Every structure is written in C-alpha cells, then in structure tokens.
Amino acid sequence: APGTAPSLRLVPPPIISNIAFESNRSYADIGGGLVLTGAHFGTQDSSPEITVGASSCRDSEWTSDSAIRCSVGPGMGMHLALTLQLYGSTGAIVPNAFNYSAPTISGFNMSSTFVEEGATVTLMGSSFGNADLTPQARLGNTACEATVWVSSAAVLCTAPSGIAGAATLVLTTSRALSTLENALSYTPPSIDAPTGAIASGPALGGAVVTVFGVGFGNQDHKMLDLTVGFTGCNPTAWVSDSSMACVAAPGVGGNLPVTLHVPGFAFNMSSTFAYHLPTIERVEPM
C-alpha cells in the first residue's frame, strides 16, 4: 500500500564446513571436481561463484542448501584462499583452503652422476605445472644458470659453476619446494703432474707455490686448500679454473708433496717442493 515501508528479509551468511574433491583427493595438480558442504547456500539456485586463489572455478553449480560443486582448473600454489559468492556478493572466505600438489623430483636424465658447469640436467617428476610459471631450479645452494619449464613432468637446468662434492637438486614452483638429496656431484678437479725442476723456497717460508690443473671452478668457491708437506699454506688463493696458489709456511725437508684438498677428495703431487738446505757460512771456536 502507498506509504508502506518495504519489508527486509535477512539471509544468514553461508557457512563452509568442508571442502573435498569428488575423487577423495586432498591435493590436485590437474584440477578436478570440488565439493563444498555446509549451510545456508540457498533454498534455490543462488548462482554461486567460487574462486580458488586468483582463478575462478568452472561450472559452479548449486546443488542444495548444504552443497555446491565446481570444477577446479589446472594450476599451482599452496595455501590458496577459497571465496564463495552467492547472489552476486561475497558470502564466505576460507583462507589457506586449497593446495595444489607440490612438485616432486623423482630423478634426472643424465648419463652420469657427475656434472660440469654448463651441462643440461633434465629434472623429471610430477606437478611441475601445466604451464610455464617460471620455476626456479638450483644445484646445491647455487641457482641454475637457466631454468626452462618443459612440461608438468620435466624442467631443464643449466648447471652452474661448482666444485667436487655431492649436490642436492632443488626445484621451487609457486612457493612449493621439492628436493632430491645428493643427486649429483661436480666432476672433481685434477692437477697436472709437475714437470721440470722441483719448486723450492726458504725455510722461513714465503715461497709462492702454484698448482695447475682443471676443474678449480670459474669462481672462488672457498672450498679448496693446498698443503706443502704436512703443513697448510697460508693463504690458499683461487686464481682461475686451471690454477691455485699459496704461500708456503716455514718448514724443512725435501721432496715434499703438494696436496690439493677438496671436500671428499685429496690430490697429491709427490716430490714437488723442497725447502732450501741450511748453509754454513763460518765456524767459530768456542
């Protein structure tokens, strides 16, 4: 009637009590049917819209006042929020509601477990993503020179510079991380056999001893040490991938070995260094 105030009908907000896959999976990497159960979803079709993370579900369908389903598309990510809209307005938000399957590295494709800088390592596994979401791979603590997504089951890593020793493969995708412990080892360095006259230096130390070889790394990894005889050099300096140098400590003896120490390896060059023999300048009576 004219002058009569319109009546308002209060609709209780929806309550989401459970989120489940139709196939009883708790995680998904390729998506699938998702079922929300709860209360106050509407006594008739409430035109539900469901968003997982930043992606809308496909084919959101009202089933009853206590159930709604939709199809989650392929994606990646962990701890994604789920948002339910009814009648075109936000009805409920559930934080940390949804996890896509984390990546899993099951192996790698190489003919050897030894790797050199610049080699291409194919990481094989699952849940690497159904699209290129810029995954990041690393070998040990060093990022791959390049990481290339190939498919949900393969990612390429261009091996960075490294030194001998076991290295773990690590892949990070959308904040989810997978590791394959001690998967590869860098090819150990080798030292050249000495040629020519034996190196020598004063007994008080100070002689610069240079060792030549290959595989010392294209940068100083601070993992290599040299010893002359049984005494450590101070300091040991990385020069290049093919040379190391150190300053001999005070000592005595001849035909001493020079040893290159790498984690897990020791390379010995025998009869490489001699301290100068003492000389008698004069003899005085007592």
Side-chain angles (χ1 to χ4, degrees):
T4 302
S7 61
L8 297 177
R9 181 169 62 92
L10 298 178
V11 178
I15 298 173
I16 300 174
S17 58
N18 188 55
I19 303 171
F21 277 99
E22 291 182 329
S23 57
N24 296 321
R25 293 178 299 172
S26 57
Y27 296 88
D29 52 353
I30 60 174
L34 188 69
V35 178
L36 309 184
T37 54
H40 311 313
F41 294 163
T43 57
Q44 58 184 354
D45 189 353
S46 52
S47 303
E49 295 182 10
I50 300 172
T51 302
V52 174
S55 300
S56 297
C57 278
R58 299 170 297 184
D59 305 321
S60 296
E61 178 184 355
W62 173 88
T63 303
S64 69
D65 185 58
S66 59
I68 293 174
R69 71 169 306 280
C70 75
S71 296
V72 181
M76 300 187 70
M78 307 287 288
H79 311 298
L80 301 176
L82 183 144
T83 301
L84 170 64
Q85 290 186 334
L86 301 178
Y87 304 108
S89 62
T90 300
I93 298 176
V94 181
N96 302 321
F98 188 89
N99 294 326
Y100 281 101
S101 293
T104 300
I105 303 173
S106 58
F108 55 90
N109 185 12
M110 286 191 67
S111 59
S112 169
T113 58
F114 285 105
V115 65
E116 297 180 349
E117 179 185 5
T120 299
V121 181
T122 302
L123 283 64
M124 300 183 297
S126 60
S127 301
F128 295 166
N130 287 286
D132 186 359
L133 298 178
T134 61
Q136 298 295 319
R138 69 176 190 265
L139 194 53
N141 294 320
T142 307
C144 295
E145 293 181 358
T147 302
V148 179
W149 176 87
V150 177
S151 70
S152 64
V155 166
L156 304 182
C157 159
T158 303
S161 174
I163 298 296
T168 295
L169 280 170
V170 181
L171 180 67
T172 304
T173 56
S174 297
R175 297 183 296 178
L177 182 143
S178 177
T179 61
L180 190 61
E181 297 289 337
N182 301 326
L184 295 167
S185 295
Y186 280 95
T187 302
S190 61
I191 50 180
D192 297 337
T195 57
I198 188 171
S200 62
L204 293 177
V208 176
V209 179
T210 302
V211 173
F212 298 94
V214 294
F216 300 156
N218 288 327
Q219 58 182 306
D220 187 0
H221 291 275
K222 303 186 184 302
M223 298 173 63
L224 305 178
D225 287 300
L226 292 171
T227 56
V228 174
F230 302 100
T231 305
C233 285
N234 188 22
T236 296
W238 173 87
V239 179
S240 69
D241 183 63
S242 59
S243 63
M244 300 283 299
C246 75
V247 178
V252 294
N255 295 325
L256 297 174
V258 173
T259 305
L260 173 66
H261 299 273
V262 185
F265 299 90
F267 303 92
N268 185 292
M269 293 188 299
S270 60
S271 302
T272 304
F273 186 85
Y275 285 100
H276 294 163
L277 294 173
T279 57
I280 300 174
E281 295 180 350
R282 64 178 183 273
V283 178
E284 297 181 352
M286 300 203 44

